[in-house]
Amino acid sequence: MRKLLASLAFTIGAVGVAHADLEADADPAAGRELAQPCAACHGQNGISSASSFPHLAGQNMTYTAKQIMDIRDGNRVVPEMVGQVDDFSDEDAWDVAAFYAEQDAHVGQADADEEALMRGQELYRAGDMTKGIPACAACHGPTGAGINTAVYPALSGQFPSYTVSTLQDFASGERANDPNNMMADIAAKMSDADMQAVANYIYGLH
């Protein structure tokens, strides 16, 4: 048992070192070249013109790199991405992630409906303890910038419809590449109105 635990600890440590090396050596210029085909859906600099495709500009490197590798490895299924990153190496994923991380994030403007804004703000900043929903800000930050070291994504300025569809996918189990099923558990406790309200608030958050 001790040998097994020691072996596991060594493996995890090696993976962590490899991760850190790839992040440190990531090349945004190489990422720009690799990301050229991505522009058709995500925009030249990572700001999409269609709400069905997320903005990638300003996204945390660790999160983007993880999503690319999860899609490549079949851990996250995105029909629109089929075949797009099949040939990407881990290094390619980090290079593309570095490119998008350097771009200026999209700045949105939330719908001014006061009731919706208040509910969205409440959920984002305080959560809803009666439903067991924690504050989004705890992981995604007060301005929606996320936490790069924890692989928590930036959310600010993201299309509301994309945020809602992502929450719905987590709630239904269609998407399950979140750490410890954290988002699946949270989203399952949210009503459609909750999702709409917090997505609207996030859109104008910066």
Side-chain angles (χ1 to χ4, degrees):
M1 184 66 175
R2 287 180 180 177
K3 289 183 178 179
L4 176 60
L5 291 173
S7 176
L8 180 59
F10 176 81
T11 301
I12 292 172
V15 170
V17 170
H19 168 117
D21 287 346
L22 285 169
E23 183 175 3
D25 295 338
D27 183 355
R32 177 185 287 276
E33 292 301 314
L34 287 165
Q36 288 306 305
C38 309
C41 296
H42 298 286
Q44 194 66 39
N45 294 309
I47 296 179
S48 175
S49 59
S51 61
S52 53
F53 303 113
H55 301 304
L56 302 180
Q59 186 56 267
N60 293 323
M61 280 179 62
T62 56
Y63 181 76
T64 302
K66 180 182 186 299
Q67 300 314 302
I68 292 172
M69 291 184 284
D70 279 356
I71 292 168
R72 178 198 64 192
D73 297 339
N75 296 322
R76 178 181 173 189
V77 178
V78 181
E80 297 86 351
M81 289 290 292
V82 170
Q84 297 299 313
V85 294
D86 289 0
D87 297 329
F88 271 35
S89 65
D90 288 0
E91 182 179 354
D92 291 338
W94 280 100
D95 287 346
V96 170
F99 163 66
Y100 283 124
E102 285 194 344
Q103 308 310 304
D104 291 333
H106 178 258
V107 178
Q109 184 172 351
D111 188 302
D113 179 86
E114 186 174 353
E115 184 176 351
L117 276 175
M118 287 181 64
R119 179 56 176 165
Q121 182 179 43
E122 175 188 25
L123 286 166
Y124 191 86
R125 301 204 173 278
D128 186 334
M129 293 303 101
T130 64
K131 292 185 175 184
I133 301 171
C136 307
C139 293
H140 299 285
T143 62
I147 304 174
N148 187 57
T149 54
V151 202
Y152 295 149
L155 301 179
S156 62
Q158 193 57 263
F159 289 119
S161 59
Y162 183 79
T163 300
V164 169
S165 68
T166 299
L167 288 169
Q168 290 173 338
D169 286 348
F170 276 126
S172 69
E174 186 172 337
R175 180 172 171 184
N177 71 326
D178 51 322
N180 301 314
N181 293 317
M182 185 186 306
M183 281 307 306
D185 181 60
I186 294 169
K189 298 172 183 176
M190 299 177 73
S191 67
D192 289 344
D194 289 339
M195 292 180 184
Q196 292 285 350
V198 79
N200 175 58
Y201 181 75
I202 285 168
Y203 187 53
L205 185 64
H206 56 83

